[in-house]
Amino acid sequence: MFEGILAGLGELAQPITLIALLAGTVLGLIVGSLPGLNDSITMAVLIPVTFGMSREMALGLLIGIYCASATGGSIPAILLKIPGTASATVTAFDGYPLAQQGRAGEALGYAVSSSTFGGIFSAIVLLFLSPFLAKQALRFGPPEYFMLAVMGMSTVIGMAGKNIAKNVLSMTFGLLISCIGMSTQTGRMRFIFGQVNLMDGISLIPMLIGLFGITSILELIESIKQGDEVEMSDALKNKTRVRVKLPDKEMRKRLLPIWAQSGLIGNIIGIIPGAGMIMAIFMAYDQAQRRRPHLKFGTGVPEGVAAPEAANNAVVASSMVPLLSLGVPGNSTSALFLGALTIQGLKTGPSLFSDTPEMAYMIILGFLLCNIIMLPLAIYYTNVLATAVLRLKREILSGIVLALCVTGAFAISNNIFNIIIMIVFGIVGYFFNKYKIPQSPLILSAILGTMMESNFLKSMVYEQGSLLVFVHRPLSLILLIISLIFIGMPIFKGIRQRRAAVKQ
Amino acid sequence: MKKILALALALVLVLSLTAGALAANFPTKNITIVVPYDAGGGVDITTRVLTEAAGKDYFNGKSLIVENRGGGGAVIGHTYVANSKADGYTLLAYTSAVVNNPQLKEVTYTHNSFKTLGMVCFDPEIIVVPAASPFQTLQDLIDYAKENKVIAATPGNSTAHHIAAIRLSNEFGGLQFEYLHENSAAMQTTDLLGGHCDVAFMAASETFDNVLNGSIRALAIGSEERIEVVPDVPTMKECGSALVVGAFRGYACPAGVPDDVYQYLVEEFDKIITSEKFINSMNEKNIPYAYMSAADFQAYADAESAALAEIVPMLKGE
């Protein structure tokens, strides 16, 4: 392994590889920070361009994009409440309130530093534990995936806060959405009303772009019509510059446990093929909330930015674990990586390490290096972008954002229908906000609903349709118990509090 | 007489001119190939290899342009090309899905809505089991599955691989497959490596790495003859099955394209897909190159469509 690392370093240290990695990182930050564009679109577009490149150069470029886009996505999430990538969805919860309080620089600092921590953490895990972890990931069969989805859903309880009814409403709506399209297990079409565009269900990206981008633009239009003063940011009023403020020593000490636990969650979810980024960020946020129950999450808490940002960058490198060790891509972006590796004539799985150890370790070290060089680049880029964004009038900015949203929704599969999905969800999001219905349960259940349903049906194959399959398999049982604890704890606490109140 | 001769001559001249004009007038702009999948997948990459190999050397210096229209299991892209103007400027990356979709989903086209231009890639079906599986040969699997339930992973209900499994089962008088319909080859591989299924039906190229390093075992392959990459794996024919199945990739145009334009397209495509540049590029990128002429490819697709029609009642009844 040591020789492998040295050989990998040799490959990585070539100027052309480093330049490609650097270019990829810059590109990743840019596409990540533009709502509507993301890493997978960029990589899909660039893969044919890599045909003519050397292996090191092609992979360096792709690694940079994949790593940095998750960080870039947090910039608009914090400044505008519009996540640049799906991975920054949760970052907006506390990042935007912080920005509204004039603490944008601080919030961006939490995001950048947490991303770096999460990224480096999981790159190190990838370096040393890859084969071991990949083996553990294989224990996940359909019953375990089902229980994992249930566990993900249990975080909705944590989000419930005061109004459980509205949460359930939002969650039910999400579950209904997840039923649209073809059921993979039975092949039947549901709720598509003869519309071929709905056969695959509602695509996630246009839905998210609508819920965040379009909704916020609608809200702005409303505020203009009422003749209210459009809220002006500090930067616009005072022509000040926004500077990323990295957390000081005290804050680092405070965030360290959150970073560690979120990084761990991101790593665990990341190595399980198909579990997904969204689940990781929601779980990290939920766990941060449980660890710091006295803080008011959603009002601008540093932990609320740190947890999802550490988790999403941890998912990035750890999603390479099953790809490199087993040849199984963990998500759609790493599936593109698999394509790129094959085109370059590389084998994946154990033979990647035995036949071409220098490339295997170059990829892993590339992830590590990318996360390190990303810190100064992200700070510089964020300073420039944040100042520019906050100095624009909100009306003009919204116009730009709208153009990006429409382009992004269309670009996913060159389909006008995705723009319609985006608009519909923009309106849905607007009314959700109007009636103070939380959107997170909707997003989470729309994603996990599909995973829950198909894996439930698949699980039924094992023991002639008996539900006991979930108890008979040890890992599934453990996940079931954890979910019960997650669901039970807030309820139990609630009852105890009520009792205490009655006694008084 | 002279007048008539002159008229006849003029007529011939005009006719030959218009005939020549049609071929010379096509194409006047770049030709679009619609890939009915999102960018980055196998069909997309194959098509980009093709367009790169073609460059500006064919079609009177015009280029081939890739346009991705993914979604709905390729239905969206198919529908788009079937409804597009049949002028030869909109072509389709033609796969097994063109044959399967019209019979299994409610769509507005059939496989006869397209005329083939040639095949470039054939990725045979492969039947694979976990390394620890007791099945050493396809016969072991068949014997066992006749009496007992076997969990078979496919990349989705009604996919070409599900259909291949049903055809195999029908051939041997009904095998007790309990299907585990995943949504990707990646999840099938996870099921195999983790021992969550007994057997999986996949495309051969998706399994090579794992078969070669011994983490999964291939029982049979659906190609006509054994293939170079995994020479030890017997064909399904050797194992007593008559099946030659696999995922194919080729190109087609809408059925309404005028004959002269169609002839021209077929000729040019034939040149590109048999060119050394294209074949080398396919081999370099590990895409299983296989050539079939437009006519042969059409006959193969027709035969596949007929074979599928026989089992459609079974699929829909499930």
mmCIF file of all heavy atoms in Angstrom, chain A residues 48 138-141 184-186 188 197 200 326 328 342-343 348 350 413-414 458 462 473, chain B residues 38 45 48 68-69 71-72 75-76 157 179-182 186 190 196 209-210 213 286 318:
data_model
loop_
_atom_site.group_PDB
_atom_site.id
_atom_site.type_symbol
_atom_site.label_atom_id
_atom_site.label_comp_id
_atom_site.label_asym_id
_atom_site.label_seq_id
_atom_site.Cartn_x
_atom_site.Cartn_y
_atom_site.Cartn_z
ATOM 1 N N PRO A 48 -17.016 13.490 -22.748
ATOM 2 C CA PRO A 48 -16.533 13.361 -24.135
ATOM 3 C C PRO A 48 -15.283 14.202 -24.402
ATOM 4 O O PRO A 48 -14.442 13.821 -25.223
ATOM 5 C CB PRO A 48 -17.702 13.879 -24.973
ATOM 6 C CG PRO A 48 -18.889 13.774 -24.096
ATOM 7 C CD PRO A 48 -18.404 13.938 -22.697
ATOM 8 N N LEU A 138 -21.544 -4.086 1.554
ATOM 9 C CA LEU A 138 -22.209 -5.187 0.852
ATOM 10 C C LEU A 138 -23.240 -5.904 1.717
ATOM 11 O O LEU A 138 -24.043 -6.669 1.229
ATOM 12 C CB LEU A 138 -21.167 -6.200 0.389
ATOM 13 C CG LEU A 138 -20.332 -5.739 -0.785
ATOM 14 C CD1 LEU A 138 -19.291 -6.781 -1.129
ATOM 15 C CD2 LEU A 138 -21.223 -5.487 -1.979
ATOM 16 N N ARG A 139 -23.170 -5.664 3.034
ATOM 17 C CA ARG A 139 -24.170 -6.303 3.899
ATOM 18 C C ARG A 139 -25.556 -5.732 3.653
ATOM 19 O O ARG A 139 -26.547 -6.264 4.114
ATOM 20 C CB ARG A 139 -23.806 -6.092 5.365
ATOM 21 C CG ARG A 139 -22.539 -6.820 5.756
ATOM 22 C CD ARG A 139 -22.168 -6.442 7.189
ATOM 23 N NE ARG A 139 -20.840 -6.919 7.485
ATOM 24 C CZ ARG A 139 -20.600 -8.063 8.108
ATOM 25 N NH1 ARG A 139 -21.595 -8.813 8.497
ATOM 26 N NH2 ARG A 139 -19.367 -8.443 8.346
ATOM 27 N N PHE A 140 -25.593 -4.598 2.955
ATOM 28 C CA PHE A 140 -26.888 -3.968 2.699
ATOM 29 C C PHE A 140 -27.600 -4.629 1.528
ATOM 30 O O PHE A 140 -27.178 -4.515 0.393
ATOM 31 C CB PHE A 140 -26.694 -2.466 2.423
ATOM 32 C CG PHE A 140 -26.586 -1.664 3.670
ATOM 33 C CD1 PHE A 140 -25.432 -1.685 4.407
ATOM 34 C CD2 PHE A 140 -27.661 -0.910 4.125
ATOM 35 C CE1 PHE A 140 -25.326 -0.963 5.578
ATOM 36 C CE2 PHE A 140 -27.562 -0.188 5.301
ATOM 37 C CZ PHE A 140 -26.396 -0.207 6.032
ATOM 38 N N GLY A 141 -28.674 -5.323 1.857
ATOM 39 C CA GLY A 141 -29.553 -5.871 0.824
ATOM 40 C C GLY A 141 -30.867 -5.119 0.901
ATOM 41 O O GLY A 141 -30.992 -4.167 1.682
ATOM 42 N N THR A 184 -40.585 0.069 -10.257
ATOM 43 C CA THR A 184 -39.564 -0.810 -10.837
ATOM 44 C C THR A 184 -39.882 -2.277 -10.564
ATOM 45 O O THR A 184 -39.524 -3.134 -11.347
ATOM 46 C CB THR A 184 -38.151 -0.521 -10.283
ATOM 47 O OG1 THR A 184 -38.241 -0.361 -8.891
ATOM 48 C CG2 THR A 184 -37.542 0.681 -10.941
ATOM 49 N N GLN A 185 -40.511 -2.558 -9.464
ATOM 50 C CA GLN A 185 -40.756 -3.961 -9.139
ATOM 51 C C GLN A 185 -41.871 -4.562 -9.992
ATOM 52 O O GLN A 185 -41.750 -5.666 -10.478
ATOM 53 C CB GLN A 185 -41.049 -4.107 -7.636
ATOM 54 C CG GLN A 185 -41.067 -5.538 -7.127
ATOM 55 C CD GLN A 185 -39.711 -6.239 -7.229
ATOM 56 O OE1 GLN A 185 -38.673 -5.617 -7.363
ATOM 57 N NE2 GLN A 185 -39.723 -7.560 -7.200
ATOM 58 N N THR A 186 -42.966 -3.835 -10.196
ATOM 59 C CA THR A 186 -44.084 -4.421 -10.941
ATOM 60 C C THR A 186 -44.151 -3.940 -12.383
ATOM 61 O O THR A 186 -44.858 -4.529 -13.192
ATOM 62 C CB THR A 186 -45.431 -4.062 -10.293
ATOM 63 O OG1 THR A 186 -45.632 -2.648 -10.413
ATOM 64 C CG2 THR A 186 -45.480 -4.443 -8.828
ATOM 65 N N ARG A 188 -45.601 -1.357 -13.423
ATOM 66 C CA ARG A 188 -46.846 -0.631 -13.718
ATOM 67 C C ARG A 188 -46.639 0.873 -13.629
ATOM 68 O O ARG A 188 -45.837 1.365 -12.851
ATOM 69 C CB ARG A 188 -47.940 -1.035 -12.725
ATOM 70 C CG ARG A 188 -48.392 -2.450 -12.954
ATOM 71 C CD ARG A 188 -49.856 -2.665 -12.654
ATOM 72 N NE ARG A 188 -50.238 -3.982 -13.159
ATOM 73 C CZ ARG A 188 -49.920 -5.129 -12.520
ATOM 74 N NH1 ARG A 188 -49.287 -5.087 -11.378
ATOM 75 N NH2 ARG A 188 -50.267 -6.287 -13.029
ATOM 76 N N ASN A 197 -43.623 12.006 -20.088
ATOM 77 C CA ASN A 197 -42.598 12.678 -19.289
ATOM 78 C C ASN A 197 -42.662 12.316 -17.812
ATOM 79 O O ASN A 197 -41.745 12.608 -17.056
ATOM 80 C CB ASN A 197 -42.732 14.188 -19.442
ATOM 81 C CG ASN A 197 -42.349 14.642 -20.827
ATOM 82 O OD1 ASN A 197 -41.253 14.355 -21.266
ATOM 83 N ND2 ASN A 197 -43.262 15.285 -21.514
ATOM 84 N N ASP A 200 -40.776 8.340 -15.521
ATOM 85 C CA ASP A 200 -39.699 8.157 -14.543
ATOM 86 C C ASP A 200 -40.006 8.849 -13.233
ATOM 87 O O ASP A 200 -39.145 8.964 -12.362
ATOM 88 C CB ASP A 200 -38.381 8.742 -15.080
ATOM 89 C CG ASP A 200 -37.732 7.798 -16.067
ATOM 90 O OD1 ASP A 200 -38.151 6.635 -16.100
ATOM 91 O OD2 ASP A 200 -36.830 8.227 -16.797
ATOM 92 N N LEU A 326 -15.133 -1.973 -5.386
ATOM 93 C CA LEU A 326 -16.021 -3.032 -5.873
ATOM 94 C C LEU A 326 -16.427 -2.833 -7.325
ATOM 95 O O LEU A 326 -16.989 -3.725 -7.944
ATOM 96 C CB LEU A 326 -17.310 -3.068 -5.037
ATOM 97 C CG LEU A 326 -17.191 -3.207 -3.523
ATOM 98 C CD1 LEU A 326 -18.522 -2.923 -2.881
ATOM 99 C CD2 LEU A 326 -16.721 -4.602 -3.180
ATOM 100 N N VAL A 328 -18.728 -0.664 -8.054
ATOM 101 C CA VAL A 328 -20.143 -0.310 -7.980
ATOM 102 C C VAL A 328 -20.270 1.178 -7.682
ATOM 103 O O VAL A 328 -19.848 1.627 -6.616
ATOM 104 C CB VAL A 328 -20.847 -1.094 -6.848
ATOM 105 C CG1 VAL A 328 -22.307 -0.699 -6.755
ATOM 106 C CG2 VAL A 328 -20.705 -2.569 -7.064
ATOM 107 N N THR A 342 -13.660 3.709 -17.349
ATOM 108 C CA THR A 342 -13.711 2.668 -18.377
ATOM 109 C C THR A 342 -13.176 3.197 -19.695
ATOM 110 O O THR A 342 -12.418 2.510 -20.394
ATOM 111 C CB THR A 342 -15.164 2.194 -18.586
ATOM 112 O OG1 THR A 342 -15.812 2.213 -17.327
ATOM 113 C CG2 THR A 342 -15.221 0.826 -19.170
ATOM 114 N N ILE A 343 -13.569 4.435 -20.022
ATOM 115 C CA ILE A 343 -13.116 5.022 -21.278
ATOM 116 C C ILE A 343 -11.589 5.122 -21.288
ATOM 117 O O ILE A 343 -10.951 4.956 -22.315
ATOM 118 C CB ILE A 343 -13.756 6.406 -21.481
ATOM 119 C CG1 ILE A 343 -15.232 6.216 -21.810
ATOM 120 C CG2 ILE A 343 -13.072 7.185 -22.589
ATOM 121 C CD1 ILE A 343 -16.025 7.486 -21.752
ATOM 122 N N THR A 348 -12.194 -1.313 -12.768
ATOM 123 C CA THR A 348 -12.567 -0.896 -11.421
ATOM 124 C C THR A 348 -12.662 -2.134 -10.544
ATOM 125 O O THR A 348 -12.598 -3.243 -11.035
ATOM 126 C CB THR A 348 -13.919 -0.168 -11.418
ATOM 127 O OG1 THR A 348 -14.873 -0.991 -12.087
ATOM 128 C CG2 THR A 348 -13.821 1.163 -12.110
ATOM 129 N N PRO A 350 -11.304 -4.536 -7.245
ATOM 130 C CA PRO A 350 -9.987 -4.876 -6.696
ATOM 131 C C PRO A 350 -8.868 -4.802 -7.730
ATOM 132 O O PRO A 350 -7.730 -4.476 -7.389
ATOM 133 C CB PRO A 350 -10.181 -6.321 -6.221
ATOM 134 C CG PRO A 350 -11.643 -6.479 -6.045
ATOM 135 C CD PRO A 350 -12.318 -5.542 -6.976
ATOM 136 N N SER A 413 -32.222 17.300 -19.025
ATOM 137 C CA SER A 413 -32.398 16.315 -20.097
ATOM 138 C C SER A 413 -32.993 16.959 -21.343
ATOM 139 O O SER A 413 -33.745 16.317 -22.061
ATOM 140 C CB SER A 413 -33.243 15.139 -19.625
ATOM 141 O OG SER A 413 -34.363 15.587 -18.915
ATOM 142 N N ASN A 414 -32.660 18.217 -21.582
ATOM 143 C CA ASN A 414 -33.156 18.950 -22.753
ATOM 144 C C ASN A 414 -34.659 18.828 -22.900
ATOM 145 O O ASN A 414 -35.170 18.533 -23.980
ATOM 146 C CB ASN A 414 -32.498 18.432 -24.040
ATOM 147 C CG ASN A 414 -31.036 18.773 -24.083
ATOM 148 O OD1 ASN A 414 -30.612 19.765 -23.507
ATOM 149 N ND2 ASN A 414 -30.263 17.942 -24.743
ATOM 150 N N LYS A 458 -39.083 -5.543 -2.722
ATOM 151 C CA LYS A 458 -37.995 -6.486 -2.975
ATOM 152 C C LYS A 458 -37.762 -7.393 -1.770
ATOM 153 O O LYS A 458 -37.502 -8.576 -1.922
ATOM 154 C CB LYS A 458 -36.707 -5.720 -3.305
ATOM 155 C CG LYS A 458 -36.631 -5.279 -4.747
ATOM 156 C CD LYS A 458 -35.294 -4.629 -5.032
ATOM 157 C CE LYS A 458 -35.378 -3.136 -4.917
ATOM 158 N NZ LYS A 458 -34.101 -2.466 -5.057
ATOM 159 N N TYR A 462 -37.825 -12.476 -0.146
ATOM 160 C CA TYR A 462 -36.965 -13.394 0.604
ATOM 161 C C TYR A 462 -37.687 -14.432 1.443
ATOM 162 O O TYR A 462 -37.312 -15.592 1.461
ATOM 163 C CB TYR A 462 -35.995 -12.599 1.492
ATOM 164 C CG TYR A 462 -34.982 -11.854 0.673
ATOM 165 C CD1 TYR A 462 -35.151 -10.510 0.373
ATOM 166 C CD2 TYR A 462 -33.875 -12.507 0.165
ATOM 167 C CE1 TYR A 462 -34.235 -9.841 -0.412
ATOM 168 C CE2 TYR A 462 -32.953 -11.849 -0.615
ATOM 169 C CZ TYR A 462 -33.140 -10.505 -0.896
ATOM 170 O OH TYR A 462 -32.226 -9.852 -1.681
ATOM 171 N N ARG A 473 -32.863 -10.521 9.849
ATOM 172 C CA ARG A 473 -31.526 -10.137 9.397
ATOM 173 C C ARG A 473 -30.945 -9.157 10.411
ATOM 174 O O ARG A 473 -31.548 -8.128 10.685
ATOM 175 C CB ARG A 473 -31.608 -9.522 8.002
ATOM 176 C CG ARG A 473 -32.097 -10.562 6.990
ATOM 177 C CD ARG A 473 -32.409 -9.997 5.659
ATOM 178 N NE ARG A 473 -31.312 -9.309 5.003
ATOM 179 C CZ ARG A 473 -30.863 -9.622 3.781
ATOM 180 N NH1 ARG A 473 -31.373 -10.655 3.148
ATOM 181 N NH2 ARG A 473 -29.921 -8.924 3.220
ATOM 182 N N ASP B 38 -29.770 10.229 -20.816
ATOM 183 C CA ASP B 38 -29.004 11.379 -20.363
ATOM 184 C C ASP B 38 -27.529 11.206 -20.724
ATOM 185 O O ASP B 38 -27.072 10.083 -20.943
ATOM 186 C CB ASP B 38 -29.162 11.567 -18.847
ATOM 187 C CG ASP B 38 -30.559 12.066 -18.501
ATOM 188 O OD1 ASP B 38 -31.208 12.649 -19.391
ATOM 189 O OD2 ASP B 38 -31.003 11.874 -17.360
ATOM 190 N N ILE B 45 -22.062 7.648 -24.779
ATOM 191 C CA ILE B 45 -20.620 7.619 -25.053
ATOM 192 C C ILE B 45 -20.353 6.980 -26.414
ATOM 193 O O ILE B 45 -19.559 7.498 -27.208
ATOM 194 C CB ILE B 45 -19.869 6.896 -23.909
ATOM 195 C CG1 ILE B 45 -19.904 7.781 -22.666
ATOM 196 C CG2 ILE B 45 -18.438 6.579 -24.299
ATOM 197 C CD1 ILE B 45 -19.410 7.124 -21.407
ATOM 198 N N ARG B 48 -21.076 9.460 -29.054
ATOM 199 C CA ARG B 48 -20.069 10.522 -29.125
ATOM 200 C C ARG B 48 -18.786 10.013 -29.773
ATOM 201 O O ARG B 48 -18.103 10.761 -30.488
ATOM 202 C CB ARG B 48 -19.809 11.116 -27.735
ATOM 203 C CG ARG B 48 -20.990 11.958 -27.282
ATOM 204 C CD ARG B 48 -20.817 12.610 -25.926
ATOM 205 N NE ARG B 48 -22.090 13.076 -25.444
ATOM 206 C CZ ARG B 48 -22.633 14.261 -25.735
ATOM 207 N NH1 ARG B 48 -21.976 15.109 -26.492
ATOM 208 N NH2 ARG B 48 -23.814 14.593 -25.266
ATOM 209 N N ASN B 68 -29.101 14.877 -26.346
ATOM 210 C CA ASN B 68 -29.635 13.958 -25.336
ATOM 211 C C ASN B 68 -31.066 14.331 -24.983
ATOM 212 O O ASN B 68 -31.354 15.474 -24.634
ATOM 213 C CB ASN B 68 -28.792 14.032 -24.059
ATOM 214 C CG ASN B 68 -27.373 13.613 -24.302
ATOM 215 O OD1 ASN B 68 -26.535 14.423 -24.657
ATOM 216 N ND2 ASN B 68 -27.108 12.355 -24.143
ATOM 217 N N ARG B 69 -31.955 13.356 -25.114
ATOM 218 C CA ARG B 69 -33.336 13.554 -24.668
ATOM 219 C C ARG B 69 -33.729 12.334 -23.849
ATOM 220 O O ARG B 69 -34.373 11.415 -24.341
ATOM 221 C CB ARG B 69 -34.277 13.727 -25.856
ATOM 222 C CG ARG B 69 -34.126 15.088 -26.523
ATOM 223 C CD ARG B 69 -35.095 15.272 -27.652
ATOM 224 N NE ARG B 69 -34.890 16.568 -28.276
ATOM 225 C CZ ARG B 69 -35.577 17.660 -27.933
ATOM 226 N NH1 ARG B 69 -36.508 17.590 -26.999
ATOM 227 N NH2 ARG B 69 -35.337 18.798 -28.520
ATOM 228 N N GLY B 71 -35.107 10.027 -20.422
ATOM 229 C CA GLY B 71 -36.295 9.936 -19.580
ATOM 230 C C GLY B 71 -37.298 8.925 -20.065
ATOM 231 O O GLY B 71 -37.343 8.570 -21.241
ATOM 232 N N GLY B 72 -38.109 8.442 -19.116
ATOM 233 C CA GLY B 72 -39.184 7.507 -19.436
ATOM 234 C C GLY B 72 -38.689 6.210 -20.051
ATOM 235 O O GLY B 72 -39.376 5.640 -20.888
ATOM 236 N N VAL B 75 -38.486 6.406 -23.740
ATOM 237 C CA VAL B 75 -39.729 6.696 -24.475
ATOM 238 C C VAL B 75 -39.740 8.144 -24.982
ATOM 239 O O VAL B 75 -40.157 8.413 -26.114
ATOM 240 C CB VAL B 75 -40.966 6.434 -23.584
ATOM 241 C CG1 VAL B 75 -42.227 6.930 -24.271
ATOM 242 C CG2 VAL B 75 -41.088 4.961 -23.289
ATOM 243 N N ILE B 76 -39.249 9.071 -24.172
ATOM 244 C CA ILE B 76 -39.298 10.482 -24.550
ATOM 245 C C ILE B 76 -38.493 10.721 -25.833
ATOM 246 O O ILE B 76 -38.974 11.350 -26.772
ATOM 247 C CB ILE B 76 -38.793 11.366 -23.388
ATOM 248 C CG1 ILE B 76 -39.802 11.285 -22.239
ATOM 249 C CG2 ILE B 76 -38.589 12.811 -23.830
ATOM 250 C CD1 ILE B 76 -39.363 11.950 -20.958
ATOM 251 N N ASN B 157 -38.142 -4.271 -13.975
ATOM 252 C CA ASN B 157 -39.213 -5.023 -14.605
ATOM 253 C C ASN B 157 -39.307 -4.631 -16.070
ATOM 254 O O ASN B 157 -39.213 -3.454 -16.405
ATOM 255 C CB ASN B 157 -40.520 -4.706 -13.871
ATOM 256 C CG ASN B 157 -41.633 -5.648 -14.264
ATOM 257 O OD1 ASN B 157 -41.954 -5.800 -15.431
ATOM 258 N ND2 ASN B 157 -42.218 -6.295 -13.285
ATOM 259 N N TYR B 179 -38.241 -12.641 -8.947
ATOM 260 C CA TYR B 179 -37.445 -11.532 -9.459
ATOM 261 C C TYR B 179 -37.198 -10.439 -8.426
ATOM 262 O O TYR B 179 -38.088 -10.032 -7.691
ATOM 263 C CB TYR B 179 -38.112 -10.927 -10.685
ATOM 264 C CG TYR B 179 -38.079 -11.872 -11.854
ATOM 265 C CD1 TYR B 179 -39.226 -12.527 -12.262
ATOM 266 C CD2 TYR B 179 -36.883 -12.133 -12.506
ATOM 267 C CE1 TYR B 179 -39.181 -13.417 -13.319
ATOM 268 C CE2 TYR B 179 -36.833 -13.024 -13.553
ATOM 269 C CZ TYR B 179 -37.993 -13.664 -13.962
ATOM 270 O OH TYR B 179 -37.930 -14.542 -15.005
ATOM 271 N N LEU B 180 -35.954 -10.004 -8.399
ATOM 272 C CA LEU B 180 -35.559 -8.869 -7.584
ATOM 273 C C LEU B 180 -35.251 -7.761 -8.590
ATOM 274 O O LEU B 180 -34.186 -7.741 -9.194
ATOM 275 C CB LEU B 180 -34.296 -9.258 -6.813
ATOM 276 C CG LEU B 180 -33.934 -8.505 -5.559
ATOM 277 C CD1 LEU B 180 -35.020 -8.640 -4.519
ATOM 278 C CD2 LEU B 180 -32.630 -9.046 -4.998
ATOM 279 N N HIS B 181 -36.225 -6.885 -8.832
ATOM 280 C CA HIS B 181 -36.022 -5.867 -9.859
ATOM 281 C C HIS B 181 -35.325 -4.645 -9.273
ATOM 282 O O HIS B 181 -35.937 -3.846 -8.590
ATOM 283 C CB HIS B 181 -37.354 -5.465 -10.490
ATOM 284 C CG HIS B 181 -38.014 -6.571 -11.249
ATOM 285 N ND1 HIS B 181 -37.391 -7.205 -12.297
ATOM 286 C CD2 HIS B 181 -39.220 -7.168 -11.110
ATOM 287 C CE1 HIS B 181 -38.201 -8.145 -12.772
ATOM 288 N NE2 HIS B 181 -39.312 -8.144 -12.069
ATOM 289 N N GLU B 182 -34.033 -4.544 -9.537
ATOM 290 C CA GLU B 182 -33.274 -3.374 -9.096
ATOM 291 C C GLU B 182 -33.491 -2.267 -10.118
ATOM 292 O O GLU B 182 -34.239 -2.465 -11.088
ATOM 293 C CB GLU B 182 -31.789 -3.742 -8.996
ATOM 294 C CG GLU B 182 -31.491 -4.741 -7.894
ATOM 295 C CD GLU B 182 -31.696 -4.166 -6.502
ATOM 296 O OE1 GLU B 182 -31.981 -2.955 -6.388
ATOM 297 O OE2 GLU B 182 -31.568 -4.916 -5.529
ATOM 298 N N ALA B 186 -25.527 -1.363 -11.200
ATOM 299 C CA ALA B 186 -24.718 -1.179 -9.999
ATOM 300 C C ALA B 186 -25.360 -1.920 -8.820
ATOM 301 O O ALA B 186 -24.684 -2.598 -8.051
ATOM 302 C CB ALA B 186 -24.595 0.305 -9.672
ATOM 303 N N THR B 190 -24.080 -5.121 -6.502
ATOM 304 C CA THR B 190 -24.074 -5.132 -5.038
ATOM 305 C C THR B 190 -24.784 -6.379 -4.530
ATOM 306 O O THR B 190 -24.317 -7.040 -3.598
ATOM 307 C CB THR B 190 -24.810 -3.889 -4.498
ATOM 308 O OG1 THR B 190 -24.361 -2.761 -5.216
ATOM 309 C CG2 THR B 190 -24.541 -3.682 -3.031
ATOM 310 N N HIS B 196 -27.079 -11.195 -1.953
ATOM 311 C CA HIS B 196 -28.507 -10.944 -1.739
ATOM 312 C C HIS B 196 -29.371 -11.521 -2.842
ATOM 313 O O HIS B 196 -30.586 -11.410 -2.796
ATOM 314 C CB HIS B 196 -28.758 -9.440 -1.605
ATOM 315 C CG HIS B 196 -27.961 -8.807 -0.508
ATOM 316 N ND1 HIS B 196 -28.160 -9.099 0.816
ATOM 317 C CD2 HIS B 196 -26.928 -7.927 -0.535
ATOM 318 C CE1 HIS B 196 -27.294 -8.417 1.561
ATOM 319 N NE2 HIS B 196 -26.529 -7.701 0.752
ATOM 320 N N ASP B 209 -15.026 -6.835 -15.189
ATOM 321 C CA ASP B 209 -14.042 -6.621 -14.127
ATOM 322 C C ASP B 209 -14.236 -7.617 -12.997
ATOM 323 O O ASP B 209 -13.289 -8.230 -12.516
ATOM 324 C CB ASP B 209 -14.135 -5.185 -13.585
ATOM 325 C CG ASP B 209 -13.647 -4.166 -14.606
ATOM 326 O OD1 ASP B 209 -13.114 -4.599 -15.642
ATOM 327 O OD2 ASP B 209 -13.817 -2.955 -14.371
ATOM 328 N N ASN B 210 -15.470 -7.778 -12.563
ATOM 329 C CA ASN B 210 -15.728 -8.654 -11.424
ATOM 330 C C ASN B 210 -15.618 -10.136 -11.772
ATOM 331 O O ASN B 210 -15.249 -10.948 -10.926
ATOM 332 C CB ASN B 210 -17.098 -8.341 -10.812
ATOM 333 C CG ASN B 210 -17.046 -7.124 -9.912
ATOM 334 O OD1 ASN B 210 -16.153 -7.006 -9.082
ATOM 335 N ND2 ASN B 210 -17.960 -6.196 -10.094
ATOM 336 N N ASN B 213 -11.815 -10.869 -11.879
ATOM 337 C CA ASN B 213 -11.113 -10.949 -10.596
ATOM 338 C C ASN B 213 -11.731 -11.987 -9.662
ATOM 339 O O ASN B 213 -11.366 -12.091 -8.494
ATOM 340 C CB ASN B 213 -10.966 -9.565 -9.939
ATOM 341 C CG ASN B 213 -12.295 -8.978 -9.511
ATOM 342 O OD1 ASN B 213 -13.185 -9.690 -9.051
ATOM 343 N ND2 ASN B 213 -12.442 -7.677 -9.654
ATOM 344 N N ASN B 286 -13.126 0.384 -24.655
ATOM 345 C CA ASN B 286 -13.721 -0.839 -24.110
ATOM 346 C C ASN B 286 -15.210 -0.979 -24.386
ATOM 347 O O ASN B 286 -15.960 -1.480 -23.557
ATOM 348 C CB ASN B 286 -13.495 -0.922 -22.599
ATOM 349 C CG ASN B 286 -12.040 -1.072 -22.267
ATOM 350 O OD1 ASN B 286 -11.299 -1.685 -23.040
ATOM 351 N ND2 ASN B 286 -11.627 -0.510 -21.153
ATOM 352 N N GLU B 318 -48.025 -10.729 -15.039
ATOM 353 C CA GLU B 318 -47.335 -10.860 -13.752
ATOM 354 C C GLU B 318 -47.840 -9.879 -12.710
ATOM 355 O O GLU B 318 -47.961 -8.711 -13.009
ATOM 356 C CB GLU B 318 -45.850 -10.660 -13.944
ATOM 357 C CG GLU B 318 -45.151 -11.964 -14.217
ATOM 358 C CD GLU B 318 -43.641 -11.862 -14.092
ATOM 359 O OE1 GLU B 318 -43.140 -10.758 -13.834
ATOM 360 O OE2 GLU B 318 -43.004 -12.871 -14.246
#
